[in-house]
Amino acid sequence: MFSDLLIERLLKATSVVVLTGAGISAESGVPIFRGETGLWKKFRPEELANIDAFLRNPSLVWEWYNYRKDLIREVNPNPGHVALVALENKYPDFLLVTQNVDNLHRVAGSRNIRELHGNIMRNRCVDCNRQIDQSELTVPTGSAVPRCECGGLVRPDVVWFGEALPNKEIQDAFTAARSCDVFLVVGTSAVVHPAAQLPLEAKEYGAYVLEINVEPTVISNYVNESIFGKAGTILPALVKRLGL
Ligand code: BV8
Ligand code: ZN
């Protein structure tokens, strides 16, 4: 399943970066966004994952995020998430960059994480930007939309279309991509920018780029190696092959 070159590069590597997308959480039961089973099938991203949609219809957007939060509360990390913890323990210089907002990497035990698109379990005020803990959320009677004590609308602390990614997270991700020996891109359709740029940047700077996905993507022709199959099967097999 794994080329000799990949194993050679991984055994020699000191610095490894992994970029994950919704596909790594699919086997935990978290729906992906695109494709036949994707969340976007029912809802169009333009209607939900952007600030205008939120200001136009905050209760619809909250309904969508509450549906996803209720679902995420019930799921657990899968062997794919756990395998990435084993990789992190092997490499002195390891960074896990995720587009996912489901917190499953942290629950699995990953430590050095950059959440490019925020975290669905965090909330913040649209007006004063205060972070509001889940337990503090107060919803005025008759409304479905939580309000901050300053009176502002509270939103999920995730990055919507047209919004800038958190600066430190995306800067750290590009710096690491440019200096790593091996870059793994796992379970992402690689259509959302700037995250999708990371594996291409890593390749430009000499990293060996391995894609793990159940089907080809728009970057399959650009990476060094694609392995088609489930992350929950392939990642544990790779960890085993490395003797971890
Ligand atoms: C920004 C909210 C600028 C959080 C999301 C034209 C060209 C290029 C770019 C653009 C463009 N027009 C507009 C843009 C920019 C836009 C963009 O990229 N649009 C794309 C869609 C064309 N990007 C932005 O707007 C970003 N911001 O650019 O700001 C700026 C700069 C300065 C100042 C102001 C503004 C913001 C992007 C973040 C958007 N937020 N969601 C949430 O609610 O989750 S997007 C959404 O897609 C999620 O965040 C998700 O993380 C992200 C990526 O999706 P994937 O994770 O890849 O999931 P997907 O379902 O697509 O794919 C799953 C994959 O897994 C599949 O390939 C499948 O085959 C595979 N799979 C399934 N099962 C398995 C598996 N693989 C392995 N094992 C399995 N078992
Ligand atoms: Zn406020």
Side-chain angles (χ1 to χ4, degrees), residues 62 65-66 69 73 119-126 129-137 146 153-158:
W62 265 109
Y65 276 92
N66 284 332
K69 284 160 83 165
R73 279 193 198 93
N119 186 313
I120 200 168
M121 294 307 174
R122 282 201 313 263
N123 312 286
R124 69 178 159 83
C125 173
V126 172
N129 228 15
R130 204 164 68 84
Q131 289 232 347
I132 296 128
D133 193 76
Q134 192 61 30
S135 56
E136 286 174 55
L137 276 190
L153 282 173
V154 175
R155 58 170 283 177
D157 194 13
V158 298

Side-chain angles (χ1 to χ4, degrees), residues 3 15 22 38 44 81-82 136 142 148 153 192-193 201 203 212 238:
S3 73
S15 153
R44 280 159 25 88
H81 295 103
V82 175
E136 286 174 55
C148 170
L153 282 173
V192 175
H193 287 259
E201 194 84 356
K203 182 116 185 311
I212 295 173
L238 180 60

Side-chain angles (χ1 to χ4, degrees), residues 22 27 33-34 65 68 99 117 159 162-163 188-189 193 213 231:
E27 291 160 82
F33 290 91
R34 297 166 183 86
Y65 276 92
R68 288 173 62 194
Q99 299 172 90
H117 296 163
V159 179
E163 293 185 327
T188 182
S189 59
H193 287 259
N213 200 309

Side-chain angles (χ1 to χ4, degrees), residues 101-161:
V101 297
D102 60 27
N103 211 38
L104 286 178
H105 284 303
R106 191 162 286 110
V107 173
S110 290
R111 298 178 305 281
N112 202 11
I113 306 173
R114 297 295 179 278
E115 293 174 317
L116 298 184
H117 296 163
N119 186 313
I120 200 168
M121 294 307 174
R122 282 201 313 263
N123 312 286
R124 69 178 159 83
C125 173
V126 172
D127 291 347
C128 72
N129 228 15
R130 204 164 68 84
Q131 289 232 347
I132 296 128
D133 193 76
Q134 192 61 30
S135 56
E136 286 174 55
L137 276 190
T138 51
V139 182
T141 40
S143 150
V145 181
R147 287 269 174 182
C148 170
E149 55 196 29
C150 82
L153 282 173
V154 175
R155 58 170 283 177
D157 194 13
V158 298
V159 179
W160 281 330
F161 285 105

